[in-house]
Every structure is written in C-alpha cells, then in structure tokens.
Amino acid sequence: MNLVRRRREEIRRAILDAAIREFAKNGLAGTSTQALAAAAGLTKAQLHYYISSKEELYEEALHFIVREWRTIFFVSAGSDDPAETIASYIERKIRHALDHPEVSRLFANEVARGAYVLSRHWGELKQAVEEASGVIEGWIAAGRIRPVDPLLFQMNMWAVTQHYAEYEAQARHLLGVPEGTPLDAERIIAEAQDMFLLRCGLTPPAR
Amino acid sequence: MNLVRRRREEIRRAILDAAIREFAKNGLAGTSTQALAAAAGLTKAQLHYYISSKEELYEEALHFIVREWRTIFFVSAGSDDPAETIASYIERKIRHALDHPEVSRLFANEVARGAYVLSRHWGELKQAVEEASGVIEGWIAAGRIRPVDPLLFQMNMWAVTQHYAEYEAQARHLLGVPEGTPLDAERIIAEAQDMFLLRCGLTPPAR
DNA sequence: ACAGGTTCAGACCAATCGGTCAAATCATTT
DNA sequence: AAATGATTTGACCGATTGGTCTGAACCTGT
C-alpha cells in the first residue's frame, strides 16, 4: 500500500538526515554505520536493509546537497539590479548557512579532502558559476558596477557566507553567543552585504 | 649524545608533519594510527614509542598551529597606516593558506566539529581578536576608515583568506589550474585586498 | 484464515582499530 | 669488552569496524 511506501520514504529521509548530520561531524571515515543507524533510530542491520554501503550513502548525501543548492542559489536571480541581486544572494546564502550548518559543513569537509566523491557533480557547479560570471561581466561592461574579478568575487561571497556555518563554534565564542541561542543573522548579513556592495562601488542600504 | 637528540627531534617533527597532513585529510576519528605511522615512515609500535595516544598527538598538532599563528598573524602589525596594515595581513594570510593548506584545513575541521579539543586555547585567540578590534575602533573614531563591525570584519577576512586552503580543490577546478601547478597567489591577494580596503573606504593600490 | 512478500533483529564474519609487551638490536659510555 | 640505556620489532590484546545471514515478526491482498 502507499501507507507502506510512505513509511519507507520516511525512514529513507531519516537516514539521509542522519547521514548529513553524522558525516558532517566526523567525515566519511570517522562515521561508523553503528553511529549512522543510531542517529536514524535504527539498528545496524536494519540500516543495511535500506542502504547498500556507507560510501554510497555518503555520495547520496552529497548529491542531495548539490541538487538542493542548485535550485536555491542562482546568482542571476529575479531582478536585473546588481545591488538587489547581490544583496539577496548573500541574505539567502547566510540564512541557509545559519539554519542548516550541517549541510554546509559536510560539503566543506568533502571539498577539503579533495572532493574526489564530489568531482562527478562539478560540471554543473562550474556551469552555474560561469553563467553568473557572464552576468557580472555584463554589469561591468555596462558600467553599472566597479570592475571585479568575477570568479574570485563569487568565490569570496561563497567563502564569507559559508563561514558562519563552518566556523559556528568560533563565531559563537567570539560574539559571546551561548550554545542555545541563534547567531545574530541580521548583523552578519548587514556586514557581508555592505562589504560586497562597496566592493562593486554600490551604495549599501541605510541601516 | 646530541646527535641522538637531533635524530629524536627529527622523528618527532616528522610525526607532527604527518599528523597535520593526515588529520587534515580524514579528521581525528578517521585517521588510524597505522596511517599516521606510515605517513611518518614508522611502524605503528615505533610511533607509540614517541607518542602516548592518538588524541594527545591530535591536540599537540592543534596547539602547534595556534602557537604558530599567534606569532605570524597579528592584525596590528608594524605600520600605523590602516591600508597598509590590512593589505599586509591579507597578503601574509593568503600566502600561508596557499603554501600550507593542510594546516588551515586541520584547524577548520576541528572548529567545524565544535572545537572541543581546541576550546582550551580559545582564550588567547579571543584576546588577539579583541586587541585588533580595539585598533580598528581607533581608526573609525579618528575618521581614518569607514565605520565597520570590527569583529565581523575580522571574521570575514579570516573567511576569505582561509577559503583558498579549505576549498583548494574547488578553486583549482573553477580557475582551471591543474593539480601540479600552484594557484595564482597575486590574483587572489589583489582581489581580496581590493575588497577589504574598499569596505573601509580606502583606495586600493593601482594594479 | 492463510499465503506472500516485506521488514526486522541477533548472532556472526573477517578485518581493522588503538594500544601493549617482552625480547631483540642498536648506540654509547666506561 | 662489558655494561648500560635508548630504540625497534613482531606478536599479541580486547574492542570495534563494515557488512552478511538466517529465521522470526509483520503486514497485506485474497
């Protein structure tokens, strides 16, 4: 029945969530199937009924993230206005990093290791980045923004927005925010937006 | 004799290097003592003659990094000129990231995991950051730079400079730089300097 | 009520884990 | 040359690893 199918999909979803959380914490090699099973509320044998191997689950989790990001973050979004486009991208990206830090951390960990598993999905990533580069170059040619290295500009936006997920523990400590309460998203977004807009010779919104 | 002592220190240094490399790749849990020993050119038993446990070696590696960084990176360096201070910090930081990416990666990995091992050394880090915040606030008060969130400004510099170590694989792919050749340090430094100087309302050097 | 497949759990596998140990080897001092 | 300490070695420990297998429990359509 489809009640059975729904239950199965719930379990698979729980496994994927657990995988992202656990792999983000200790990496591929550092995460045991035991720990994965426990985090998903299953026994080890039960987990292996749903997945075929740890490596495959790892790759599936990464693939899931890439697919999700591809649909959420596209620099050339909506408006044609450079300031609005950049500001909106940064806001969305930082909010995502603060709300789902494990996702960003898993991705970062994989890239830091050399991204061998991820390399299969790099084609789409490069394509998206080059599309955005085109948009930015258009802005420069039209004199709408100060000249910028389009690739590095994007990488730096990525660096800053990801940072608050990867370095959450450090940010907490430096900003004096205890474990329970969330980081001040507005403050972080404002500073990041100001920075990248000023880099482009654009006027940041009054605060 | 001291030839014996030198030999012992050579081995300990080889172990530390191997530890940084291996821990950076697979994290604490994901790195076996076997792999550590092999990377240092020793047998497992021999390794345990020099270290007492994997955890302790891990902590030692982290402590080494913090100590090293404390002496290399001090934002309030040399000159009193904001532009020069910022530009020099960024250059030093990015060169270090490109030359010793494993170091940055190990640190990032530990922080991403929650920095439980590192937390002991966070006092000194916070102190250094707050000193720098004082310097920056002084610049703002004197009207020498555009108002900035001093803490977030520093965190963003950290984010960008670290990024080219942590995301080296991605940067290689996007910039089209094959595995053997180094990334273009000048290009990366220039873009980063422009960004942070413009954020402060300062004029970047002509290129 | 029963047959059919789906899902589950416990025992189990070889391999590897971090770490120890005693015996052997090496280098150095006397 | 004998004695002494510093190193190295391979065998070994119990625990845990990723993964399998079997048989029981559980649904579900008839």
Side-chain angles (χ1 to χ4, degrees):
Chain A
M1 248 283 156
N2 79 9
L3 202 149
V4 136
R5 183 175 309 160
R6 194 181 315 161
R7 181 156 167 64
R8 189 164 55 210
E9 266 163 29
E10 260 171 37
I11 292 184
R12 279 206 61 95
R13 176 72 212 193
I15 291 175
L16 191 64
D17 280 353
I20 292 177
R21 246 179 303 133
E22 294 299 310
F23 283 137
K25 225 184 292 173
N26 294 315
L28 171 57
T31 303
S32 66
T33 53
Q34 197 73 255
L36 284 168
L42 307 170
T43 61
K44 195 176 60 158
Q46 201 179 350
L47 174 71
H48 270 95
Y49 177 76
Y50 289 96
I51 69 164
S52 56
S53 78
K54 195 172 73 153
E55 273 75 16
E56 201 177 289
L57 177 59
Y58 181 74
E59 192 176 341
E60 193 187 316
L62 282 172
H63 185 62
F64 172 82
I65 292 175
V66 171
R67 227 183 315 137
E68 191 200 42
W69 280 358
R70 189 85 164 96
T71 66
I72 301 180
F73 307 121
F74 36 109
V75 173
S76 54
S79 156
D80 176 52
D81 181 51
E84 203 177 307
T85 305
I86 291 168
S88 142
Y89 172 81
I90 288 172
E91 170 163 9
R92 272 179 296 138
K93 192 85 195 3
I94 287 181
R95 285 204 196 280
H96 183 275
L98 293 177
D99 290 345
H100 311 285
E102 342 78 44
V103 173
S104 292
R105 283 199 276 255
L106 172 53
F107 183 82
N109 196 282
E110 164 64 11
V111 176
R113 286 189 47 219
Y116 299 110
V117 176
L118 207 70
S119 62
R120 224 159 309 169
H121 308 286
W122 258 354
E124 8 179 358
L125 199 150
K126 185 162 190 178
Q127 195 194 328
V129 169
E130 267 162 10
E131 264 173 45
S133 284
V135 174
I136 294 172
E137 272 155 12
W139 290 340
I140 297 172
R144 302 182 69 180
I145 66 170
R146 197 182 219 279
V148 154
D149 188 319
L151 238 66
L152 294 185
F153 183 74
Q154 284 181 77
M155 289 182 66
N156 290 340
M157 281 203 294
W158 186 271
V160 168
T161 52
Q162 288 282 98
H163 186 259
Y164 294 91
E166 296 170 39
Y167 282 74
E168 189 189 349
Q170 199 192 54
R172 285 217 125 77
H173 189 256
L174 292 178
L175 297 170
V177 178
E179 203 99 5
T181 48
L183 290 170
D184 185 346
E186 318 307 326
R187 179 178 168 191
I188 293 169
I189 291 169
E191 175 61 32
Q193 286 178 338
D194 284 5
M195 198 165 74
F196 289 101
L197 291 176
L198 284 167
R199 169 65 187 90
C200 294
L202 300 168
T203 318
R207 316 274 177 194
Chain B
M1 248 282 154
N2 79 10
L3 203 150
V4 134
R5 185 175 305 157
R6 194 179 316 161
R7 180 155 168 64
R8 188 164 55 211
E9 267 163 30
E10 260 171 37
I11 292 183
R12 279 207 60 96
R13 177 71 212 194
I15 291 175
L16 190 65
D17 279 353
I20 291 177
R21 246 179 304 133
E22 294 300 308
F23 283 138
K25 226 185 291 173
N26 295 315
L28 171 58
T31 303
S32 65
T33 53
Q34 197 75 252
L36 284 168
L42 307 170
T43 62
K44 194 176 61 159
Q46 202 179 350
L47 174 73
H48 270 95
Y49 176 74
Y50 290 95
I51 69 165
S52 57
S53 78
K54 195 172 72 156
E55 272 76 16
E56 202 178 288
L57 176 59
Y58 181 74
E59 192 176 342
E60 192 188 316
L62 282 172
H63 185 62
F64 173 82
I65 292 176
V66 171
R67 229 182 314 135
E68 192 201 40
W69 281 358
R70 189 84 163 95
T71 67
I72 301 181
F73 308 120
F74 36 109
V75 173
S76 53
S79 155
D80 176 52
D81 180 51
E84 204 178 304
T85 305
I86 291 169
S88 144
Y89 172 81
I90 287 172
E91 170 163 9
R92 273 178 294 139
K93 193 82 194 5
I94 287 181
R95 286 205 196 279
H96 183 276
L98 293 178
D99 291 344
H100 311 286
E102 343 78 43
V103 173
S104 291
R105 284 199 277 256
L106 172 51
F107 184 82
N109 196 282
E110 164 65 12
V111 176
R113 286 189 47 218
Y116 298 110
V117 176
L118 206 71
S119 62
R120 224 159 307 168
H121 309 283
W122 257 356
E124 5 179 1
L125 199 151
K126 186 163 190 176
Q127 194 195 328
V129 168
E130 267 162 10
E131 264 173 46
S133 284
V135 174
I136 294 172
E137 272 155 11
W139 290 339
I140 298 173
R144 303 181 69 181
I145 67 170
R146 196 181 220 279
V148 154
D149 189 318
L151 239 67
L152 294 185
F153 183 74
Q154 285 182 77
M155 290 182 66
N156 289 341
M157 281 203 294
W158 186 270
V160 168
T161 54
Q162 287 282 99
H163 186 258
Y164 294 91
E166 296 172 38
Y167 281 74
E168 189 191 350
Q170 200 192 56
R172 285 217 125 76
H173 190 256
L174 291 179
L175 297 170
V177 179
E179 203 100 3
T181 48
L183 290 171
D184 185 347
E186 319 306 326
R187 180 178 168 191
I188 293 169
I189 291 168
E191 175 62 33
Q193 286 178 337
D194 285 5
M195 197 165 75
F196 289 102
L197 291 176
L198 284 167
R199 170 65 187 91
C200 294
L202 300 168
T203 317
R207 314 271 179 199

